[in-house]
Amino acid sequence: AALVSDSRFLNNANGVAVLASTALTTSRVTVERCVASGNGEFGYSAPATNAISIAHLTITDSVASDNNNGIFAFAPVGAAQVHVSNSQVSGNQYGLAANQAGARLIATGNTVTRNALGLYQANGSTFRSDGTNSVQNNTTDATGVISPFVRI
């Protein structure tokens, strides 16, 4: 497991990527108080590309701005689990996105604005929100199924 805090990832191909590509592995990264901006592909991403691998990415109090994809869970095989809270997501093509059946994104307390697509769920992925996200002023605020959950 890795902790990344108080860092900037600016104008790269990717900001922070937690890649799970080797069988029987779990990759875990926690990101706190970071900025990913101007990256050509992903600000923060968790791609799982092996059927028996898991990518875990937890993001808190961070910024994803002006990337192609702000925060992205992608798992055509394996599992990608992204938890994002209290973060700012703006100016991206995709703000918060979950794609493919093994991907799961949980969002709480975020501000998602000025993206082409604010919240994006597709292809059997799971996208859950507790209703505390501010999602507005995107070209399309949400597409796909955004499932609510209750905090206990």
Side-chain angles (χ1 to χ4, degrees):
L3 170 63
V4 180
S5 63
D6 302 302
S7 299
R8 293 177 168 217
F9 304 91
L10 308 174
N11 304 312
N12 299 295
N14 294 299
V16 175
V18 181
L19 179 61
S21 61
T22 303
L24 302 173
T25 61
T26 298
S27 301
R28 294 181 191 274
V29 174
T30 298
V31 174
E32 299 175 344
R33 300 176 309 277
C34 290
V35 174
S37 182
N39 297 296
E41 192 57 36
F42 301 103
Y44 304 96
S45 66
T49 59
N50 187 291
I52 46 178
S53 65
I54 302 170
H56 284 279
L57 175 59
T58 302
I59 302 164
T60 58
D61 301 314
S62 294
V63 174
S65 66
D66 302 313
N67 306 288
N68 187 38
N69 297 282
I71 299 173
F72 194 70
F74 178 73
V77 296
Q81 300 176 1
V82 175
H83 299 224
V84 59
S85 62
N86 304 320
S87 295
Q88 307 291 317
V89 182
S90 65
N92 305 287
Q93 182 67 24
Y94 293 87
L96 298 177
N99 193 358
Q100 301 294 329
R104 178 182 179 106
L105 192 145
I106 298 173
T108 60
N110 302 291
T111 299
V112 182
T113 188
R114 298 187 311 99
N115 302 285
L117 290 167
L119 308 181
Y120 177 79
Q121 178 277 330
N123 300 311
S125 63
T126 300
F127 193 124
R128 302 201 63 205
S129 169
D130 71 346
T132 62
N133 298 288
S134 174
V135 181
Q136 57 187 334
N137 299 322
N138 300 285
T139 304
T140 301
D141 284 333
T143 187
V145 177
I146 312 302
S147 301
F149 71 93
V150 176
R151 292 178 136 188
I152 298 175

